[in-house]
């Protein structure tokens, strides 16, 4: 894909400064994130699916890698070449410590345009575990189309979102405020199909974080193939 073909994603730049504010919240949270979310059964299961479904030594993007646990290390330990990105410098530092065999960059999702990490078709697989929910709904389809283009034909995407009918909604989170968006599951299926993916599997988990300020949630894990 030429650089010009990414011009349709300029919407991803609209709230860049606001997303920097989100990054500051995660800088403050640091490794308390793993303390608040200690089990992550759904994420581990989805990571296992991706690790096993990809050819050996695949190049995988971990979008919004956080601390690198469990996904970057899980995929790296499975023999894949992991490239993790996160907007939070503190999270990137933790990820480098937790998954030393992976490669990490401090980048916003909008920075992935124009071939920053290899361009169109440069990844065999992508994970986006609870990263796209940090965007307003208007930006999520743009982000999904960009991820579609970053995948090789037939490439796989493991996506997770919290099931909720909210758009850029502010919530308290581990002593900070963050903004999140979500979909009901039928709406999420429609959004990913409109972005050019086939749904090849999905699971849902009821999850209660080990925190007093975040209510129980339904986590949706959707396994997708670039159509």
């Amino acid at each position: 894909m030429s650089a010009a073909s990414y011009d349709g994603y300029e919407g991803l730049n609209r709230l860049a400064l606001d997303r920097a504010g989100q990054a500051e919240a995660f800088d403050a949270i640091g490794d308390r994130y793993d303390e608040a979310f200690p089990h992550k059964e759904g994420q581990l299961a989805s990571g296992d699916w991706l690790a096993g479904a990809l050819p050996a030594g695949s190049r995988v993007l971990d979008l919004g890698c956080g601390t690198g646990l469990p996904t970057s290390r899980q995929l790296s330990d499975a023999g894949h070449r992991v490239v993790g990105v996160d907007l939070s410098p503190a999270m990137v530092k933790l990820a480098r410590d937790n998954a030393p065999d992976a490669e990490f960059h401090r980048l916003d999702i909008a920075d992935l345009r124009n071939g920053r990490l290899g361009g169109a078709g440069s990844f065999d697989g992508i994970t986006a575990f609870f990263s796209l929910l940090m965007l307003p709904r208007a930006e999520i389809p743009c982000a999904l189309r960009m991820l579609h283009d970053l995948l090789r034909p037939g490439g796989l995407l493991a996506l997770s979102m919290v099931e909720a009918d909210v758009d850029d909604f502010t919530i308290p989170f581990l002593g900070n405020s963050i903004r999140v968006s979500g979909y009901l599951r039928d709406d999420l299926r429609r959004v990913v199909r409109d972005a050019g993916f086939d749904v090849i599997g999905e699971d849902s988990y009821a999850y209660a974080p080990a925190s007093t300020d975040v209510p129980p949630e339904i986590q949706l894990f959707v396994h997708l193939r670039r159509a």
Side-chain angles (χ1 to χ4, degrees):
M1 176 184 295
S2 68
S5 61
Y6 281 99
D7 290 346
Y9 309 132
E10 67 274 3
L12 290 173
N13 279 330
R14 291 186 298 113
L15 297 184
L17 293 177
D18 289 339
R19 285 202 294 276
Q22 304 261 70
E24 290 170 2
F26 280 91
D27 282 344
I29 291 166
D31 56 11
R32 288 189 297 128
Y33 182 87
D34 289 326
E35 296 171 6
F37 295 87
H39 303 300
K40 305 179 185 174
E41 290 92 345
Q43 187 168 337
L44 283 165
S46 192
D48 278 342
W49 165 77
L50 185 65
L54 290 171
S58 289
R59 188 169 188 249
V60 184
L61 173 67
D62 187 6
L63 180 67
C65 61
T67 66
L69 299 176
T71 301
S72 290
R73 189 159 75 187
Q74 179 184 25
L75 293 169
S76 180
D77 286 349
H80 298 298
R81 295 173 292 130
V82 177
V83 181
V85 300
D86 203 284
L87 189 56
S88 162
M91 290 294 179
V92 170
K93 182 179 185 302
L94 288 166
R96 287 171 176 155
D97 292 338
N98 289 327
D101 292 331
E103 168 190 339
F104 295 98
H105 302 269
R106 179 185 176 272
L107 294 173
D108 182 81
I109 185 172
D111 296 328
L112 300 182
R113 301 173 302 166
N114 304 322
R116 181 71 179 266
L117 292 178
S122 59
F123 290 96
D124 302 292
I126 296 175
T127 66
F129 290 137
F130 308 111
S131 49
L132 298 190
L133 62 78
M134 305 296 291
L135 302 175
R137 273 188 184 174
E139 297 189 5
I140 292 173
C142 300
L144 284 167
R145 288 194 296 272
M146 184 173 66
L147 297 181
H148 175 278
D149 293 340
L150 288 172
L151 283 168
R152 63 168 175 78
L156 302 176
L157 168 63
L159 171 70
S160 66
M161 298 281 287
V162 173
E163 184 172 27
D165 188 13
V166 295
D167 182 13
D168 206 30
F169 183 72
T170 300
I171 62 170
F173 190 76
L174 300 179
N176 296 268
S177 292
I178 62 171
R179 296 191 319 281
V180 298
S181 299
Y183 297 98
L184 302 180
R185 63 190 69 194
D186 286 343
D187 294 326
L188 179 59
R189 293 185 194 110
R190 174 184 52 79
V191 169
V192 297
R193 286 172 176 143
D194 287 349
F197 290 98
D198 291 328
V199 178
I200 57 177
E202 63 179 75
D203 290 295
S204 64
Y205 293 78
Y207 192 92
S211 166
T212 59
D213 61 354
V214 179
E217 60 194 26
I218 300 297
Q219 298 179 343
L220 303 177
F221 291 85
V222 187
H223 298 160
L224 307 169
R225 177 180 289 116
R226 174 179 164 168

